[in-house]
Amino acid sequence: MSRRRAPCWRQQAAPRRAAPSGCFRSWYLGRTTRGLLSSLHRVCLSPVHRTLPGVPLKTNGLCCCCLSVPSLDASIARVMWTLVGRGWGCARTLARWATGAALGPAPTFGAAPESWPTCRVYSSAEFKEKLDMSRFPVENIRNFSIVAHVDHGKSTLADRLLELTGTIDKTENNKQVLDKLQVERERGITVKAQTASLFYNCEGKQYLLNLIDTPGHVDFSYEVSRSLSACQGVLLVVDANEISAKLGTNVESVLQAVIERIPPPKVHRKNPLRALVFDSTFDQYRGVIANVALFDGVVSKGDKIVSAHTQKTYEVNEVGVLNPNEQPTHKLYAGQVGYLIAGMKNVIEAQIGDTLYLHKQPVEPLPGFKSAKPMVFAGMYPVDQSEYNNLKSAIEKLTLNDSSVTVHRDSSLALGAGWRLGFLGLLHMEVFNQRLEQEYNASVILTTPTVPYKAVLSSSKLIKEYREKEITIINPAQFPDKSKVTEYLEPVVLGTIITPDEYTGKIMMLCEARRAVQKNMIFIDQNRVMLKYLFPLNEIVVDFYDSLKSLSSGYASFDYEDAGYQTAELVKMDILLNGNTVEELVTVVHKDKAHSIGKAICERLKDSLPRQLFEIAIQAAIGSKIIARETVKAYRKNVLAKCYGGDITRKMKLLKRQAEGKKKLRKIGNVEVPKDAFIKVLKTRSSK
């Protein structure tokens, strides 16, 4: 019978001095935690606390008396929790003390192991005790979203509500707590709806308030529509003098109004499980993390669930609520909003709007969501084709988190294999590209954004070929010729501009230059004017917002909404290099602006192309008509250098032979546009 080794923390029971003031009582851990505790030991700046007097550092123990709460880094405390295991009673106690858990007095070395506090191992980032969600009956649940325009203080109000309910500590650093993305903090806007479960005591009753903070910009309206599916009411933020989220004035009355005015969800917990997936993210180690709203039934760890979309069966690994970080629970009940992890390793398996139900207990799927309608399209290609698969994986994972982006495979002779992506607006496109760079370290080439045009076909033969009379064109290279259609249609939006009245004249001239039609003009007060214009979408997707901010010294604001399609005189403009069309630079423009746009592209391409041994003609053409031209001069060898006089016919003969050679070379030579030149031209077009 083997002798059991005594725990290492009981081997050193030598007398020691009392720990210095402000620190916890000292105890020792095994050699497995030596590296961690040495990093903890360096947190304290006081030289008195560097070592424990009278006890040297040995291989089987390490001083950790310096774990005072103010100096303990929260990230270190989380690392300590990951080391919790069977038999590590002292480590468990230390970790719970470090995170502020109430355990009574610190343990002593002479105490029996059974007297030491114990805790359990959790996979959640917060490592709190699992909540019993059954103590929240349906009548004590409120699911609501915060909805408002951009910069109206939605995130600030969410911060105050989190503080008021004790979800987060009240500090001066609580700014945009629910905005977890780097792009959100850099731009100061919300681009991704975030969920948080709040526990609030009102009149002796414990309420569960499921809050969803939504974006305010129109480009992220799909996030708002999905969030509303999991709510029974909304909190609309408007300008008011009696409530201030920034100062916290009367914020508690908002919570009371939510409880009084928003009804509880109408659900049935005794019915079979029926859960709606309204959002999801991808974790490299745990797979898909689905945000779900339960309309019927109960779900818990170990249940086998089925996806109504794929008909695949999964076993639930974890359920919980967001508080605001993930906190596991024993179960989730109908009426509640939380997250669910079921081992979905493929991003295609997690569909937004999918219905989950228990195995062998099928239910009728929930309606789901209407597909988002893209307003702006752009080509995306990897800078290096060897990174194609990595970029493909990054786009798949990011579109799982942002399902409003449409993806279609595309290819280019110059840029290689890529995709044509559809976005809800220009800001949406910029944020998506920025998230690819920040979250997945991906470098991409993004072509000039275009809008979806429509064409009404003229003959029954073409209608039979396309199987519809009105076709939509998202790639300018596929724009049909005028002889095949009766009319072209372009998308229009109703734009609203609010500006100080001193800039009104300049802004009106800018709008007229963009083919906008004025619909209304209202003086809000003595100093501000609201202008409403009907804009062709193609005129505002690239640089209108920057021009507006420049003219108004940054004071004017702009918002728009979809207004359908209108008839327009559109033409497809080709860019030719020595008579060959460059497909990547084909664009659709209005007939009145074709000459100016074509000339600008030719000039930029002239500055970007390297010179050759032959002349390169850069042309902008509409059909067979050339509307603009630039020429890249050829390198010229001085063939007359060896002639030091003599008859002129000798010189003319040499020059004629050189011209014939260049003419022949121009016919057989191909102009290869370097990728750097494409990038330069595309970026310049986007910044103009």
Side-chain angles (χ1 to χ4, degrees), residues 403-653:
S403 58
S404 59
V405 179
T406 60
V407 182
H408 300 281
R409 293 186 64 180
D410 200 1
S411 62
S412 163
L413 293 176
L415 302 178
W419 302 267
R420 179 154 291 272
L421 306 181
F423 305 94
L424 299 184
L426 187 63
L427 178 62
H428 188 202
M429 182 187 74
E430 293 175 356
V431 167
F432 188 88
N433 186 31
Q434 191 171 344
R435 289 187 65 184
L436 274 178
E437 294 176 355
Q438 293 176 348
E439 300 176 26
Y440 298 95
N441 197 28
S443 298
V444 301
I445 301 171
L446 199 64
T447 65
T448 305
T450 60
V451 299
Y453 296 101
K454 289 186 177 182
V456 181
L457 301 176
S458 57
S459 67
S460 57
K461 182 179 179 180
L462 291 171
I463 295 174
K464 185 178 180 180
E465 179 182 347
Y466 287 96
R467 297 181 180 180
E468 54 185 345
K469 185 176 182 180
E470 189 176 274
I471 61 173
T472 302
I473 306 105
I474 62 175
N475 190 340
Q478 300 172 353
F479 197 78
D481 188 74
K482 179 65 177 175
S483 61
K484 297 181 179 180
V485 301
T486 55
E487 62 178 356
Y488 295 114
L489 303 174
E490 65 176 350
V492 292
V493 295
L494 181 62
T496 302
I497 302 172
I498 299 178
T499 177
D501 58 356
E502 58 188 285
Y503 304 108
T504 304
K506 295 180 180 179
I507 292 176
M508 292 178 73
M509 291 178 63
L510 173 66
C511 295
E512 291 174 1
R514 300 303 179 99
R515 300 191 290 122
V517 179
Q518 185 175 342
K519 292 297 183 182
N520 203 351
M521 179 176 177
I522 302 173
F523 284 87
I524 301 174
D525 51 35
Q526 295 180 350
N527 301 318
R528 293 187 301 167
V529 181
M530 182 171 69
L531 303 171
K532 285 188 175 292
Y533 278 89
L534 194 65
F535 288 94
L537 181 59
N538 190 38
E539 296 288 343
I540 66 172
V541 294
V542 176
D543 61 345
F544 177 78
Y545 189 71
D546 294 337
S547 301
L548 178 66
K549 287 292 184 181
S550 178
L551 288 177
S552 63
S553 301
Y555 287 108
S557 64
F558 178 68
D559 195 8
Y560 64 89
E561 58 187 64
D562 184 20
Y565 281 78
Q566 69 177 12
T567 305
E569 294 187 44
L570 304 174
V571 292
K572 182 177 81 168
M573 184 172 66
D574 297 319
I575 302 298
L576 310 177
L577 296 180
N578 284 349
N580 298 320
T581 302
V582 183
E583 185 177 316
E584 293 77 18
L585 298 179
V586 174
T587 183
V588 176
V589 296
H590 193 269
K591 186 177 181 181
D592 296 341
K593 292 193 170 185
H595 175 71
S596 59
I597 295 176
K599 184 173 179 60
I601 294 177
C602 290
E603 290 175 351
R604 290 196 290 272
L605 202 53
K606 177 186 175 182
D607 297 335
S608 304
L609 286 178
R611 293 176 66 185
Q612 304 288 340
L613 292 175
F614 52 90
E615 188 178 84
I616 302 176
I618 306 172
Q619 300 169 309
I622 299 176
S624 59
K625 182 180 179 182
I626 305 299
I627 59 173
R629 173 178 173 138
E630 293 290 336
T631 303
V632 178
K633 296 295 183 181
Y635 285 120
R636 184 174 182 271
K637 180 181 178 181
N638 188 5
V639 295
L640 303 181
K642 59 184 178 181
C643 298
Y644 298 99
D647 191 7
I648 187 67
T649 57
R650 171 67 176 165
K651 297 181 180 180
M652 295 299 296
K653 183 179 179 181

Side-chain angles (χ1 to χ4, degrees), residues 152-174:
H152 269 53
K154 297 183 301 301
S155 297
T156 306
L157 177 58
D159 293 342
R160 299 293 84 78
L161 295 179
L162 291 172
E163 292 176 353
L164 188 60
T165 56
T167 307
I168 59 175
D169 295 331
K170 188 175 182 180
T171 65
E172 295 180 357
N173 298 326
N174 288 340

